[in-house]
């Protein structure tokens, strides 16, 4: 039996086909969003006045004063945290009702989805 798996990017804003993932950062948190070309242009246009006045920062400057691996754990939205907690409980994994979710649980969730 043959099987074909197709992975496609869906624009997180409007559900259209995305061209790829766009990364940006604000206040020390890096975000990723899948966008179509049109929505990426809208994001770039919205940020342009701030980017032209901002200073570029080398990656190693961001790490100063943080423990190793601090950036490797991802912050998750409240909605996604609720989803991860629900999934973890169904899998029998230990997860607290509040606070930070262990990175190992987040990694297991992402591997399963």
């Amino acid at each position: 039996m043959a099987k074909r798996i197709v992975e496609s990017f869906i624009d997180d804003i409007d559900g259209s086909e995305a061209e790829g993932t766009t990364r940006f950062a604000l206040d020390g948190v890096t975000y990723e969003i899948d966008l179509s070309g049109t929505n990426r242009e809208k994001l770039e246009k919205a940020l342009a006045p701030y980017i032209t006045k901002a200073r570029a920062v080398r990656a190693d400057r961001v790490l100063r004063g943080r423990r190793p691996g601090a950036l490797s754990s991802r912050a998750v939205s409240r909605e996604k945290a609720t989803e991860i907690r629900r999934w973890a409980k169904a899998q029998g994994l230990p997860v607290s009702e509040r606070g930070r979710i262990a990175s190992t649980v987040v990694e297991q969730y992402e591997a399963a989805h």
Side-chain angles (χ1 to χ4, degrees):
M1 172 157 102
K3 184 188 282 189
R4 179 174 29 164
I5 299 172
V6 177
E7 182 177 326
S8 60
F9 285 107
I10 305 299
D11 188 299
D12 292 326
I13 300 297
D14 62 16
S16 65
E17 188 172 335
E19 292 182 5
T21 302
T22 300
R23 296 183 80 180
F24 61 97
L26 180 66
D27 293 336
V29 179
T30 301
Y31 300 91
E32 286 186 349
I33 187 167
D34 298 331
L35 295 174
S36 65
T38 302
N39 283 331
R40 181 181 167 105
E41 288 174 15
K42 289 178 183 177
L43 176 64
E44 289 173 348
K45 186 176 180 180
L47 293 175
Y50 303 98
I51 291 172
T52 58
K53 301 293 183 181
R55 295 175 300 279
V57 178
R58 291 189 355 236
D60 64 334
R61 239 179 111 180
V62 173
L63 297 174
R64 196 178 311 151
R66 297 186 183 234
R67 71 186 197 288
L71 294 179
S72 63
S73 63
R74 298 183 202 169
V76 295
S77 69
R78 182 173 296 178
E79 293 81 16
K80 188 169 183 178
T82 301
E83 185 179 321
I84 293 170
R85 281 189 172 89
R86 191 175 305 128
W87 175 86
K89 287 177 187 176
Q91 303 303 311
L93 298 172
V95 63
S96 64
E97 290 295 324
R98 297 178 23 204
R100 186 176 169 275
I101 300 173
S103 62
T104 55
V105 173
V106 175
E107 289 167 4
Q108 290 177 50
Y109 170 83
E110 290 178 346
H113 291 89

